Amino acid sequence: MTPLLRVLLMLTGSGGSPRKVWTAMMKEDITPEMFLEGGPSLWEKLDCPPAALKKLSHLSDGQWLEKEMAAAARNGVKILPFSHGEFPERLAEAPDGPLLLYVRGEWPLEGPSVAVVGTRKCSPYGKQVSARIGRAAAEAGGVVISGGAAGIDGAAHEGSLDAGGRTVAVLGTGVDVFYPGSHENLFRRILDQGGALLSEYPFGTTPRRWHFPERNRIIAQLADRLVVVEAPHRSGAMNTARHALEAGREVWAVPGRITEEACSGSNRLIFDGAHPLVSVDEFAALAFDRQLVLFPEEERERKSPFLTGKEQKILSVLKKYGERTVDNIAVECTMSPAEVLSCLAVMAAAGIVFPSGPGRWSASPG
């Protein structure tokens, strides 16, 4: 283990402010060797917080460091210092970027990338759009980056995986801690399909509230562009958007209903100048340099499964008027509720429509 890696592991494991201490070291021309030899008296001069100073003293005996390296070898995890050739250049150049990354899975992942973020408490529509963006990115050969959380994040990962794509989850825990627990299968799918789990936190790190805003900067800095699907005004997704703007990344937002708090932040981004994502196909064409189809409706009809007359009538109503109840559809299509339900079941299985709320249905975004 090199002196640099030893120091960075100690700073990361101390729970203090690794970047702040490292910046102080550089300012004072203190090498990793000098840091290790200087001990607590030097670390105190570098403004290490008292709790971190105590932890550094405990970690300096080397036992924790050896256990961390052994855990990495056992789990097939790469521990990359910022000087490593596989450490993302964008993160290395960022003034607030991590000094160290734990990478579990395939790395590096080549190709254009898009980060997709949003609220955990998303609407069924937001979930559908997020999955559609993930799928479109995968079909274009792009890498989807998100935070592995419930809601919008998980839908984006799933959409990419369902299309055979590669996706990266940037975690607010150690790469060996699956959070939320309900996403364990999702994280395993990411690894099985050639994606990666990333974290700046040591093995065994459990979720802490402040870790998630911290990891947001990594999501923003890694990607070529960022899409906010649904986000309240005060949310982690808006925090990620701020980091993306500061890093000079393109920011897109999906328009939402102005009456819903879950869309207040994403709508505000559009008002402030973010690109409005009004068509997934057009976004994919611009983001991944794909050729737009001249007659998208004809192309969509050619690719879509055969619809009966009744099913086509229902789809036309949903596309024209938006969300509808079964009774609404029955009246507007002059059908019985039983006939509507039968058609909806077939169409939902084909991914053409989806339940957008209790007793309500919408056409799938495309």
Side-chain angles (χ1 to χ4, degrees):
M1 188 188 311
T2 65
L4 173 63
L5 182 55
R6 183 176 290 270
V7 169
L8 296 184
L9 278 170
M10 287 173 59
L11 292 177
T12 300
S14 70
S17 304
R19 172 61 68 174
K20 181 179 177 182
V21 176
W22 181 260
T23 301
M25 286 175 61
M26 296 301 97
K27 186 177 180 180
E28 299 296 331
D29 291 324
I30 295 172
T31 65
E33 291 84 356
M34 293 166 62
F35 181 88
L36 294 170
E37 293 171 4
S41 60
L42 173 61
W43 304 340
E44 190 172 8
K45 292 178 183 177
L46 294 172
D47 291 331
C48 286
L53 189 63
K54 184 177 180 181
K55 192 74 177 289
L56 280 172
S57 299
H58 172 70
L59 298 177
S60 62
D61 64 9
Q63 292 185 20
W64 178 82
L65 299 172
E66 298 305 327
K67 288 180 181 179
E68 199 75 354
M69 295 303 292
R74 188 169 58 251
N75 291 285
V77 172
K78 297 179 181 180
I79 302 180
L80 305 178
F82 66 86
S83 59
H84 194 282
E86 292 184 1
F87 193 92
E89 186 176 347
R90 288 171 173 173
L91 296 185
E93 294 174 348
D96 62 344
L99 298 173
L100 195 71
L101 274 182
Y102 290 72
V103 182
R104 184 175 179 182
E106 296 294 323
W107 193 261
L109 297 180
E110 304 296 338
S113 59
V114 58
V116 184
V117 298
T119 180
R120 291 171 172 82
K121 299 177 181 179
C122 63
S123 69
Y125 169 76
K127 206 168 189 177
Q128 284 279 330
V129 171
S130 184
R132 181 70 186 88
I133 294 169
R135 175 178 288 277
E139 290 173 347
V143 177
V144 174
I145 301 170
S146 196
I152 296 299
D153 290 18
H157 291 304
E158 293 279 7
S160 173
L161 294 169
D162 289 346
R166 301 158 302 157
T167 181
V168 177
V170 183
L171 308 181
T173 63
V175 292
D176 59 333
V177 176
F178 294 151
Y179 180 82
S182 59
H183 277 189
E184 179 175 350
N185 288 338
L186 170 62
F187 294 138
R188 295 198 185 281
R189 277 191 74 195
I190 290 174
L191 296 173
D192 291 343
Q193 290 188 210
L197 307 180
L198 267 60
S199 178
E200 62 180 317
Y201 304 112
F203 287 109
T205 301
T206 54
R208 296 183 174 93
R209 184 171 48 85
W210 59 90
H211 283 177
F212 298 97
E214 286 179 350
R215 66 92 192 268
N216 289 342
R217 76 195 194 285
I218 299 177
I219 294 173
Q221 291 162 358
L222 272 179
D224 296 328
R225 52 192 52 81
L226 173 80
V227 178
V228 180
V229 178
E230 284 181 345
H233 192 67
R234 296 185 63 180
S235 62
M238 292 297 287
N239 173 263
T240 309
R242 178 177 62 80
H243 284 296
L245 290 168
E246 290 174 352
R249 304 291 185 267
E250 276 185 15
V251 174
W252 296 67
V254 175
R257 292 175 176 171
I258 62 174
T259 55
E260 295 183 3
E261 172 61 22
C263 301
S264 60
S266 37
N267 285 338
R268 171 57 62 172
L269 285 172
I270 295 172
F271 180 82
D272 289 339
H275 300 282
L277 199 160
V278 296
S279 164
V280 174
D281 291 337
E282 290 180 10
F283 168 74
L286 291 168
F288 303 107
D289 197 26
R290 298 182 72 185
Q291 185 174 356
L292 271 172
V293 177
L294 290 177
F295 303 102
E297 287 301 323
E298 291 181 11
E299 178 71 7
R300 196 171 291 117
E301 287 175 11
R302 184 178 65 79
K303 289 185 176 180
S304 65
F306 174 77
L307 298 177
T308 66
K310 292 180 179 179
E311 291 166 355
Q312 187 61 60
K313 190 182 291 187
I314 291 172
L315 183 59
S316 296
V317 166
L318 293 178
K319 283 186 173 182
K320 185 175 182 179
Y321 300 111
E323 186 180 68
R324 283 289 183 271
T325 65
V326 171
D327 288 338
N328 294 151
I329 298 170
V331 170
E332 289 161 356
C333 295
T334 60
M335 297 164 58
S336 71
E339 288 176 309
V340 171
L341 282 170
S342 176
C343 290
L344 287 173
V346 173
M347 296 166 74
I352 299 169
V353 299
F354 69 99
S356 52
R360 308 184 75 84
W361 291 83
S362 294
S364 296

